[in-house]
Amino acid sequence: MPKKTENKNILCIGAGYVGGPTMAMIAKKCPDRKVTVVDINADRIKAWQSDKLPIYEPGLAEVVSETLNRNLFFSTDIDKAIEEADIIFVAVNTPTKTFGEGAGRAADLQYWEKTARQIKRCAKSDKIVVEKSTLPVRTAAAMRRVLSEGANGVNFEVLSNPEFLAEGTAIRDLEMPDRVLVGSAETPSGLAAREAVVDVYASWIPRERILTTNVWSSELSKIAANAFLAQRISSINALSELCEKTGANVSEVARAVGADSRIGPRFLKAGVGFGGSCFKKDILNLVYMCESEGLTEAADYWRSVVDMNEHQKNRFVKTMLRAMFNTVAGKRIALLGFAFKADTSDTRESPAISVAKLLVEEHAQVVVSDPHAIENAKRDLAGLEEFVTYERDPYKAVEGADAVAVLTDWSEYKNIDWQKVYDLMRKPAFVFDGRNFLGHAKLYSMGFHVYAIGIEPKSHFY
Ligand code: UDX
Ligand code: UDX
């Protein structure tokens, strides 16, 4: 007899970049389970049910259309969905606190706590509550306390199952993850809940890739993984500055360093700085946790990863200024790319936001172009309309521009007709490659003054 799937009904609270794609993949891979995704934002829920999904992610539309209203449902009726669910993933946002104790560093857990209280209020049967959001270590203990007092005989197990997907490659990451991590209490009921969550993933992921740990290790591992990844980027970016001073080429250095199998080649690409909703937030959270435990040196160590990233963004604009005769006032500067990386419409913490704002402070006329992120860019730069315009077509964006700064590694910018770009621009024409991915020698031979990161500039002036 086939094994009966227990804990059949899955719910996810939070239909964002994490909750939406993850649940769509679970629905695809577990057709016998009902997967419901709820959110307080009714517009978002409506968008998930429409042809225009709320986020751009390659391959996502196909997975959603295959599963929508088959076993994947979106709803705003959170109370009812909680009542019906067996396993509840919580993927609401956990931004950096902007007020009070720990402001600017600690995670703001108010949405999480509010959600936990709502789960307690609506639950009429036992629930497995799974932390999908990235949370400070030991949050599960606090949540268990919130859930258990006054629970009217209902039992809650709080587990940690952080999501490691990266935007732009979310579908591939969900389909073939390097690992899935499930942390639980090591009590009989905790272990049973662990097995229930492991079972969901075991539908398509080999068991040996599903790591199980205690809850605290799981919570901390997610933050630690992001901190390690970001630390590599800040390390190579720190070297990029030295390369520019010494004639070394940072791409060559990264290749040589990354060829060491102990180091590996990925996340060693120098650039204008890392963005995205996670790296900065999670490292600041790590800094705050270290500080709270009196670990000053560890806190300072991790804070420097974020400081280096801020420096890299500022440095990029300083290079632009210096190259363009110390003034960009009134100059038209086209920003090609506004998303924090290619293949996403997400602009959260995008280095392009800092670059645009710094250029506006210098009174440049900024034109923002991006294949998918213009709507988000408009929100990020609201109030700066005197200095910023938007143009989806890159050729129109560069028309009459003094400089082009490539800030997102969209492949369409690599393959653009750069001769045409040059012809459309005012001379001297400058290109600033914030992603180190253009053919610099070719651009130089066309007449551009070429500035990249960690590589000596190729200027016709000297
Ligand atoms: C975010 C963080 O970026 C990530 O680090 C964390 O691990 C999970 O939350 P993401 O999915 O990218 O991930 O966030 P976002 O796109 O903002 O989605 C969160 C969703 O939760 C939003 O749609 C928001 O409306 C919803 N939400 C928030 C609720 O449904 N209820 C709440 O009380 C608060
Ligand atoms: C990251 C983690 O990779 C993922 O595991 C976690 O779940 C969420 O945070 P994400 O922010 O979506 O994912 O994208 P990622 O590919 O990690 O890139 C983050 C930033 O670093 C981007 O701005 C990217 O352009 C930049 N980056 C990445 C570099 O500057 N150099 C590199 O070598 C790699």
Side-chain angles (χ1 to χ4, degrees), residues 115-131:
T115 303
R117 288 179 190 279
Q118 190 171 12
I119 293 172
K120 180 167 69 177
R121 182 167 51 74
C122 301
K124 298 202 171 72
S125 57
D126 294 356
K127 310 284 176 203
I128 298 171
V129 177
V130 187
E131 299 174 343

Side-chain angles (χ1 to χ4, degrees), residues 134 163-169 179 222 225-226 229 233 236-237 265-279 282 340-342 351 409 435:
T134 304
E163 184 45 61
F164 293 97
L165 70 80
E167 288 173 34
T169 53
R179 78 322 208 167
K222 170 63 203 244
N226 276 348
L229 291 169
I233 301 170
I236 198 72
N237 283 343
R266 299 183 64 194
F267 275 74
L268 284 183
K269 187 127 179 74
V272 61
F274 59 74
S277 70
C278 293
F279 282 178
D282 292 350
F340 80 96
K341 62 187 280 198
D409 46 347
R435 296 295 180 169

Side-chain angles (χ1 to χ4, degrees), residues 129-370:
V129 177
V130 187
E131 299 174 343
K132 203 48 159 160
S133 314
T134 304
L135 293 163
V137 64
R138 297 202 77 85
T139 301
M143 291 308 144
R144 189 168 301 133
R145 252 172 266 141
V146 170
L147 284 164
S148 59
E149 276 188 33
N152 295 329
V154 172
N155 286 314
F156 297 99
E157 270 306 319
V158 183
L159 274 71
S160 162
N161 167 227
E163 184 45 61
F164 293 97
L165 70 80
E167 288 173 34
T169 53
I171 296 303
R172 196 186 63 207
D173 296 343
L174 287 165
E175 198 139 34
M176 291 178 291
D178 287 348
R179 78 322 208 167
V180 164
L181 184 55
V182 182
S184 74
E186 284 161 336
T187 57
S189 59
L191 293 173
R194 177 192 284 187
E195 210 36 46
V197 174
V198 167
D199 250 7
V200 173
Y201 292 102
S203 305
W204 79 98
I205 295 159
R207 283 265 172 171
E208 62 276 14
R209 289 211 185 167
I210 304 177
L211 312 183
T212 53
T213 64
N214 76 33
V215 191
W216 326 126
S217 305
S218 175
E219 288 177 332
L220 186 57
S221 298
K222 170 63 203 244
I223 292 178
N226 276 348
F228 265 69
L229 291 169
Q231 178 268 122
R232 286 172 66 100
I233 301 170
S234 277
S235 294
I236 198 72
N237 283 343
L239 286 167
S240 74
E241 202 170 3
L242 186 60
C243 287
E244 286 164 31
K245 303 275 183 218
T246 56
N249 177 324
V250 78
S251 303
E252 292 177 353
V253 173
R255 188 156 46 119
V257 171
D260 186 325
S261 62
R262 293 169 302 176
I263 298 172
R266 299 183 64 194
F267 275 74
L268 284 183
K269 187 127 179 74
V272 61
F274 59 74
S277 70
C278 293
F279 282 178
K280 183 174 170 189
K281 165 174 77 71
D282 292 350
I283 293 173
L284 291 175
N285 187 352
L286 181 57
V287 168
Y288 183 70
M289 286 192 283
C290 293
E291 281 173 351
S292 304
E293 299 296 337
L295 310 178
T296 312
E297 291 77 8
D300 290 347
Y301 174 75
W302 289 113
R303 188 185 292 104
S304 73
V305 173
V306 173
D307 291 346
M308 186 64 223
N309 198 51
E310 298 302 314
H311 173 66
Q312 190 74 350
K313 293 186 275 185
N314 294 335
R315 195 169 84 73
F316 185 77
V317 176
K318 283 200 181 125
T319 302
M320 292 180 77
L321 262 176
R322 255 200 313 276
M324 298 173 76
F325 324 113
N326 290 315
T327 176
V328 290
K331 290 181 182 167
R332 184 174 161 96
I333 299 184
L335 304 187
L336 293 191
F338 205 83
F340 80 96
K341 62 187 280 198
D343 293 325
T344 177
S345 54
D346 195 353
T347 60
R348 290 177 293 176
E349 297 295 336
S350 177
I353 301 174
S354 310
V355 170
K357 288 188 173 167
L358 289 168
L359 290 172
V360 166
E361 274 177 28
E362 295 290 338
H363 292 188
Q365 285 295 326
V366 175
V367 190
V368 172
S369 191
D370 192 285

Side-chain angles (χ1 to χ4, degrees), residues 439-457:
H440 301 142
K442 204 163 157 212
L443 293 175
Y444 178 71
S445 70
M446 286 173 190
F448 279 107
H449 302 271
V450 185
Y451 292 76
I453 287 167
I455 300 167
E456 262 188 320

